[in-house]
Amino acid sequence: MGKVTGFLEIDRQVHKYQPASDRVRHFREFTLPMSDKEVEKQAARCMDCGIPFCHGPTGCPIHNQIPDWNDLVYNGDWDNAIRNLHSTNNFPEFTGRICPAPCEEACTLNLEDIPVAIKTVEQAIADKAYETGHIRPYPPEKKTGKRVAVIGSGPAGMAGAQQLGRAGHDVHVYERESRPGGLMRYGIPDFKIEKHYIDRRIEQMQGEGVTFHCGVNVGVDMKVADLLEEFDAVLYCGGSETPRPAGIPGSDLSGVYDAMPYLVQQNRRVGGEPIQSVAWPSHPIIAGGQHVVVVGGGDTASDCIGTAFRQGAVRVTQLDIRPQPPEKEDKLAVWPYWATKMRTSSSQAEGAEREFQVATLEFIGEEGQLTGVRCCEVDDRRKPIAGSEFVIRADLAFIAIGFAGPAGDSVMKELDGQVKVVTDSRRSHNVEANDRDYRTSVDKLYAAGDVRRGQSLVVWAIREGRQAARSIDEALMGSTVLPR
């Protein structure tokens, strides 16, 4: 906790943003950092609530010890704050930027709509740690002689690889793209997280003995079977990348795209790379001067909106089949769980027109080129309401309705018939492995992250990578000191 009466004396404050008119002119991060003293005041608001739901099962998936490091920051002990934070989270600079902060939803002060600014404090701790030299390589004191391969270098693969490397194993990470980071690098725009944060962690991990092999598409360039023969264990962290099929007529028109090729292209441009990706090949997609429609209501849809505005889109309309949520939730009915309420992302606040309870019936066009989107209003059962049809002008449309499982053209293709696949409640087809030992049905093969649980948050991927590393270490050595 922080100051006993801090929550009574200090108002909640979080990072402020550059004005929308300024931030849409670039792809850099646009949060305005708070001073150390301001952050310490926010940490002081952490109250002695008895049961800290913020790091329980309803709050933080990796169980960050939030009251502890809030107290350390309040007392100006930033060094021990980062040590505490790193004990549960390998990459707090990632989660401090892109996590939706279920911990703040679970904060006791959220009953009064004034939760502790946990995400702001977490990001400040991580950034301060770089300034003071606390984020540096921590190589193991001795090597075990065991070798582990990790397929995929997203947050799950990175977390698993770092933990295994620190346990003394010889860890090799295989990434099909030209740089590590997975969709955290290529799917999440730079205005949400600049990629030098990933580069710094990769450099740290290399200093700890982890080897990265980029441009290697496992299942195509080399076989999973060869990795299983060469290494003592293989951890599969391929993510969830297959776009969920929309089944909307006209999806084959020029100008209609799944969201991810568009986002990957722009991230590659910002990173100074050729726009063609191994997994997301496409001709150039630019929203400048275009009327854009985004189908979907989640984070990926929001990222498309922010990217389109920065490219100079004339108008961006977001279509969400769900009813418009209430401005304020019933606290006593939902707290400390994540509440359904009206939320406006920074990208949506840049000028998007949002249509709720609207179904996308058809993409319409002329001579094979998209010209509009035919829509209608729907009832509470998502059934079309007669006479409510309308057409929105569109030069570009992006489908952002989620992902249905791992890519099927490489690892999964080779493992077809060998590894068990399960279908979750969202009809996603994921690799079967429990969340205790993360073993698959193939000997020596483990799976963690979105490839196992379906599309989820970066913080969940970090959790699964860490826990899978512990399971692998225990299986190889008979015991483990890695935290779960």
Side-chain angles (χ1 to χ4, degrees):
M1 61 168 289
K3 185 178 180 181
V4 175
T5 57
F7 70 99
L8 297 172
E9 301 169 8
I10 303 168
D11 292 335
R12 169 182 161 90
Q13 289 186 348
V14 296
H15 285 147
K16 290 182 171 59
Y17 295 156
Q18 291 178 358
S21 58
D22 293 338
R23 66 181 189 248
V24 296
R25 300 174 185 272
H26 61 78
F27 281 88
R28 301 184 303 276
E29 291 182 15
F30 50 80
T31 55
L32 304 175
M34 297 168 64
S35 69
D36 290 354
K37 290 301 179 184
E38 290 174 320
V39 175
E40 289 170 8
K41 287 176 64 177
Q42 290 307 302
R45 297 185 64 249
C46 188
M47 61 187 295
D48 186 8
C49 56
I51 299 177
F53 288 93
C54 57
H55 67 82
T58 60
C60 181
I62 47 180
H63 305 303
N64 279 338
Q65 299 168 108
I66 295 164
D68 299 71
W69 44 256
N70 270 327
D71 184 65
L72 290 166
V73 169
Y74 162 57
N75 286 291
D77 191 353
W78 292 78
D79 290 352
N80 279 318
I82 188 59
R83 291 190 183 96
N84 187 296
L85 184 49
H86 270 151
S87 70
T88 56
N89 185 356
N90 294 67
F91 314 120
E93 68 275 24
F94 300 170
T95 53
R97 284 172 166 81
I98 56 179
C99 183
C103 52
E104 293 191 16
E105 292 284 307
C107 177
T108 302
L109 287 175
N110 192 39
L111 287 167
E112 298 293 332
D113 287 317
I114 50 171
V116 175
I118 300 168
K119 183 176 175 179
T120 295
V121 176
E122 179 179 24
Q123 180 180 334
I125 295 172
D127 291 348
K128 183 80 167 179
Y130 274 109
E131 295 174 12
T132 55
H134 279 275
I135 298 182
R136 60 183 185 274
Y138 294 93
E141 294 182 358
K142 61 179 181 179
K143 289 287 190 176
T144 64
K146 302 293 186 180
R147 305 180 74 230
V148 182
V150 179
I151 303 173
S153 65
M158 285 181 65
Q162 184 166 58
Q163 294 294 96
L164 288 163
R166 288 177 173 176
H169 305 306
D170 182 18
V171 181
H172 292 256
V173 181
Y174 293 86
E175 168 57 48
R176 69 172 178 222
E177 298 293 348
S178 54
R179 297 177 185 174
L183 289 187
M184 191 166 55
R185 178 184 293 276
Y186 292 108
I188 299 175
D190 279 65
F191 57 79
K192 291 176 71 173
I193 179 170
E194 294 180 8
K195 303 310 182 281
H196 61 85
Y197 295 107
I198 301 173
D199 295 335
R200 292 194 302 197
R201 284 296 183 180
I202 298 300
E203 184 178 351
Q204 179 196 34
M205 292 170 65
Q206 289 172 329
E208 294 170 352
V210 176
T211 304
F212 288 86
H213 306 270
C214 293
V216 179
N217 192 359
V218 177
V220 176
D221 300 324
M222 66 184 307
K223 293 184 178 297
V224 181
D226 292 338
L227 291 179
L228 289 168
E229 183 175 346
E230 179 182 353
F231 290 88
D232 297 292
V234 176
L235 176 58
Y236 180 27
C237 300
S240 181
E241 301 174 314
T242 302
R244 194 176 300 283
I248 303 172
S251 295
D252 57 343
L253 289 169
S254 178
V256 181
Y257 303 93
D258 287 313
M260 202 49 65
Y262 175 57
L263 296 175
V264 170
Q265 257 190 39
Q266 185 55 40
N267 280 339
R268 294 178 73 89
R269 284 192 193 95
V270 174
E273 298 186 71
I275 64 170
Q276 290 299 327
S277 166
V278 175
W280 311 99
S282 180
H283 63 272
I285 312 169
I286 297 290
Q290 306 290 297
H291 287 70
V292 178
V293 170
V294 180
V295 180
D299 291 337
T300 303
S302 182
D303 292 345
C304 288
I305 292 168
T307 301
F309 278 131
R310 283 159 179 76
Q311 290 183 345
V314 173
R315 177 185 179 188
V316 181
T317 305
Q318 181 179 16
L319 306 179
D320 194 333
I321 198 170
R322 299 170 298 182
Q324 181 168 335
E327 290 291 335
K328 181 175 171 58
E329 74 274 30
D330 182 349
K331 297 288 188 185
L332 297 182
V334 298
W335 181 86
Y337 297 96
W338 185 264
T340 298
K341 63 181 177 182
M342 189 66 174
R343 303 174 190 271
T344 300
S345 71
S346 59
S347 293
Q348 291 165 336
E350 290 163 1
E353 298 180 26
R354 303 169 71 183
E355 298 282 352
F356 289 96
Q357 215 159 341
V358 166
T360 306
L361 299 178
E362 180 185 13
F363 296 112
I364 56 179
E366 296 177 0
E367 299 180 353
Q369 176 64 46
L370 176 72
T371 59
V373 181
R374 188 164 65 89
C375 313
C376 74
E377 297 176 9
V378 297
D379 59 23
D380 292 340
R381 296 183 178 180
R382 300 188 177 183
K383 302 296 183 183
I385 297 175
S388 66
E389 292 188 12
F390 60 97
V391 174
I392 300 174
R393 176 182 171 181
D395 307 303
L396 278 176
F398 300 112
I399 302 173
I401 58 173
F403 301 90
D409 60 349
S410 54
V411 174
M412 294 303 294
K413 185 175 181 179
E414 182 183 339
L415 293 175
D416 185 34
Q418 301 177 55
V419 66
K420 289 183 180 179
V421 176
V422 294
T423 303
D424 65 17
S425 60
R426 297 171 294 186
R427 300 189 301 280
S428 297
H429 306 292
N430 311 317
V431 175
E432 183 179 57
N434 63 53
D435 60 359
R436 294 182 301 279
D437 59 22
Y438 293 88
R439 294 175 182 266
T440 70
S441 53
V442 176
D443 186 41
K444 298 201 302 183
L445 180 65
Y446 299 73
D450 288 4
V451 74
R452 188 202 73 84
R453 68 176 290 113
Q455 67 175 77
S456 190
L457 305 176
V458 166
V459 69
W460 273 105
I462 293 173
R463 168 194 170 120
E464 296 215 347
R466 287 171 59 90
Q467 292 185 342
R470 175 186 169 88
S471 175
I472 292 171
D473 185 43
E474 188 172 29
L476 295 181
M477 305 305 296
S479 62
T480 182
V481 296
L482 292 178
R484 179 168 169 78

